[in-house]
Amino acid sequence: MIIANEGIKQLTAEIPDGHRHIRTTIILTDGREFTFQEATIANLVRAYITVKTYPAVKKIILTGKRIETRKEGYAEWQLVEDEKE
């Protein structure tokens, strides 16, 4: 699935009542709706910036992994860098 700007009816980024983190909801013109947690968007932005700003990097893969030993406050499930090309 490729989602072009023309396919997006609305994008909302907000901190819902009772939450501490941003949720981003995209509503497509066909009515489908996707809501992303903050960590998901942060990883997408991190990957985008890495590929966009490092001329030698043409690709980055972030793979979901369960991290047993992690910094306090970090989730157990993380997307970690797998490889660059």
Side-chain angles (χ1 to χ4, degrees):
M1 172 190 317
I2 296 177
I3 300 172
N5 267 344
E6 294 84 9
I8 297 176
K9 178 180 177 182
Q10 183 179 43
L11 184 149
T12 303
E14 65 179 337
I15 300 173
D17 290 340
H19 292 270
R20 295 184 300 159
H21 298 98
I22 296 173
R23 298 264 170 89
T24 302
T25 299
I26 297 173
I27 301 173
L28 301 182
T29 54
D30 66 8
R32 288 182 290 170
E33 191 172 311
F34 302 90
T35 299
F36 300 92
Q37 292 183 334
E38 181 173 333
T40 305
I41 296 296
N43 281 301
L44 186 133
V45 169
R46 178 167 59 105
Y48 175 87
I49 289 171
T50 298
V51 173
K52 190 72 173 173
T53 61
Y54 291 92
V57 177
K58 301 294 182 203
K59 177 180 181 179
I60 184 170
I61 297 173
L62 302 178
T63 302
K65 295 187 179 177
R66 194 166 310 283
I67 308 295
E68 299 298 330
T69 305
R70 58 194 183 279
K71 294 179 183 178
E72 185 177 335
Y74 281 71
E76 184 177 14
W77 187 260
Q78 296 286 327
L79 291 178
V80 295
E81 194 171 316
D82 204 23
E83 71 178 72
K84 289 182 191 174
E85 291 184 6

